[in-house]
Amino acid sequence: MNPFDIKSALLAKHAQHVVLIHFPIALFLTGVAFDFAAHWTKRATLAAAASLNLLVAAVSVPAVVVTGILAWQLQLDGQKLKGVLLLHLVLGCLSGVLICWIAWIHWRTRRVPARTPPNYRFGLELAASLLIALTGHLGGFLSGVNLSG
């Protein structure tokens, strides 16, 4: 495939998932970095940036999950999942739930200016970041990026 052939790249059966997945990952990890920085420096602007990044990440999760399921259906004709692909699907769904839960915590806290976010969110953010990294690592194997040779 020619790398400059936009039509074939965009219309590949799995291309949309591979492209879209980078948005919630980047937005979430940036939001977590802003949240840690906001907690450390006590700057409200960093907290607002964290909340916004986490909210947009959560909004983009459903599209990523849908395109992942469509890629499975189109590439493998809906055959039963097993091994790395099944693990990638399960971890991806768990990652999506965690992203949405963390965004909800931030959104709920930002609605009431006097309220401070709960400290347990840092543990959730760390766990979600590690889960996202593992899910992405498995996705790299599925896409052929992480193969040796």
Side-chain angles (χ1 to χ4, degrees):
M1 177 166 88
N2 182 351
F4 298 106
D5 185 7
I6 301 298
K7 182 178 178 184
S8 63
L10 291 177
L11 296 179
K13 291 181 179 180
H14 66 284
Q16 293 73 25
H17 180 70
V18 174
V19 170
L20 289 178
I21 192 58
H22 294 91
F23 291 105
I25 291 172
L27 289 163
F28 180 79
L29 294 177
T30 301
V32 168
F34 280 148
D35 192 29
F36 277 98
H39 182 72
W40 188 43
T41 64
K42 308 294 186 223
R43 293 188 178 189
T45 54
L46 287 175
S51 294
L52 184 61
N53 273 278
L54 294 169
L55 182 62
V56 176
V59 167
S60 65
V61 164
V64 170
V65 171
V66 167
T67 57
I69 291 171
L70 283 173
W72 160 43
Q73 294 296 317
L74 294 172
Q75 288 288 100
L76 301 175
D77 296 323
Q79 54 182 270
K80 187 176 178 184
L81 296 178
K82 58 185 175 188
V84 174
L85 189 55
L86 178 60
L87 187 57
H88 178 70
L89 175 71
V90 170
L91 294 180
C93 289
L94 285 174
S95 297
V97 167
L98 279 176
I99 289 170
C100 292
W101 184 16
I102 293 164
W104 177 77
I105 290 170
H106 280 266
W107 177 77
R108 185 187 62 164
T109 302
R110 301 284 299 167
R111 284 186 27 217
V112 180
R115 184 184 291 173
T116 59
N119 284 332
Y120 67 83
R121 78 185 186 282
F122 293 121
L124 285 175
E125 289 173 356
L126 179 62
S129 298
L130 294 172
L131 192 62
I132 289 167
L134 179 58
T135 305
H137 181 67
L138 293 174
F141 278 104
L142 293 171
S143 68
V145 172
N146 292 348
L147 295 178
S148 61

